[in-house]
Coordinates of all heavy atoms in Angstrom, one line a residue:
P84 N 8.4 21.5 0.4 CA 8.6 20.1 0.3 C 8.1 19.3 1.5 O 8.0 19.9 2.6 CB 10.2 20.0 0.2 CG 10.6 21.2 0.9 CD 9.6 22.3 0.6
V85 N 7.7 18.1 1.3 CA 7.2 17.3 2.4 C 7.5 15.8 2.2 O 7.4 15.3 1.0 CB 5.6 17.5 2.6 CG1 4.9 17.0 1.3 CG2 5.1 16.7 3.8
S86 N 7.9 15.1 3.2 CA 8.3 13.7 3.1 C 7.0 12.9 3.1 O 6.2 13.0 4.0 CB 9.2 13.3 4.3 OG 9.2 11.9 4.4
L87 N 6.9 12.0 2.2 CA 5.7 11.0 2.2 C 5.8 10.2 3.4 O 4.7 9.9 4.1 CB 5.8 10.2 0.9 CG 4.6 9.1 0.8 CD1 3.3 9.8 0.8 CD2 4.8 8.2 -0.4
Q88 N 7.0 9.7 3.8 CA 7.1 8.9 5.0 C 6.6 9.7 6.3 O 5.9 9.1 7.1 CB 8.5 8.4 5.2 CG 8.7 7.5 6.4 CD 10.1 7.1 6.7 OE1 11.0 7.9 6.5 NE2 10.3 5.9 7.1
A89 N 7.0 11.0 6.4 CA 6.6 11.8 7.5 C 5.1 11.9 7.6 O 4.5 11.9 8.6 CB 7.2 13.1 7.4
L90 N 4.4 12.0 6.4 CA 3.0 12.1 6.4 C 2.3 10.8 6.8 O 1.4 10.8 7.6 CB 2.5 12.5 5.0 CG 2.8 14.0 4.5 CD1 2.4 14.1 3.0 CD2 2.0 14.9 5.3
T91 N 2.7 9.7 6.2 CA 2.1 8.5 6.5 C 2.3 7.9 7.9 O 1.6 7.1 8.4 CB 2.5 7.4 5.4 OG1 3.9 7.3 5.4 CG2 2.0 7.8 4.0
M92 N 3.4 8.4 8.6 CA 3.6 8.0 9.9 C 2.6 8.6 10.9 O 2.4 8.0 12.0 CB 5.0 8.4 10.4 CG 6.2 7.6 9.8 SD 7.8 8.2 10.2 CE 7.8 8.0 12.0
Q93 N 2.0 9.6 10.5 CA 1.0 10.3 11.4 C -0.3 9.6 11.6 O -0.8 9.5 12.7 CB 0.8 11.7 10.9 CG 2.0 12.6 10.8 CD 1.7 14.0 10.1 OE1 0.5 14.3 10.0 NE2 2.7 14.7 9.7
K94 N -0.8 9.1 10.4 CA -2.1 8.5 10.5 C -2.2 7.4 9.4 O -1.4 7.4 8.4 CB -3.2 9.5 10.1 CG -3.4 10.6 11.1 CD -4.5 11.6 10.6 CE -4.6 12.7 11.6 NZ -5.7 13.7 11.2
P95 N -3.1 6.4 9.5 CA -3.4 5.5 8.4 C -3.8 6.4 7.2 O -4.5 7.4 7.3 CB -4.6 4.7 8.9 CG -4.5 4.7 10.3 CD -3.9 6.1 10.7
S96 N -3.3 6.0 6.0 CA -3.5 6.9 4.8 C -4.2 6.2 3.7 O -3.9 5.1 3.4 CB -2.1 7.4 4.4 OG -1.4 8.1 5.4
I97 N -5.0 7.0 3.0 CA -5.6 6.6 1.7 C -4.9 7.5 0.7 O -5.1 8.7 0.6 CB -7.1 6.8 1.7 CG1 -7.8 5.9 2.8 CG2 -7.7 6.5 0.3 CD1 -9.3 6.1 2.9
V98 N -4.0 6.8 -0.1 CA -3.2 7.6 -1.0 C -3.8 7.4 -2.4 O -4.0 6.3 -2.9 CB -1.7 7.0 -1.0 CG1 -0.9 7.8 -2.1 CG2 -1.1 7.2 0.3

Side-chain angles (χ1 to χ4, degrees):
V85 61
S86 162
L87 178 61
Q88 182 183 37
L90 287 174
T91 56
M92 286 175 62
Q93 298 174 16
K94 298 178 180 181
S96 305
I97 297 175
V98 179

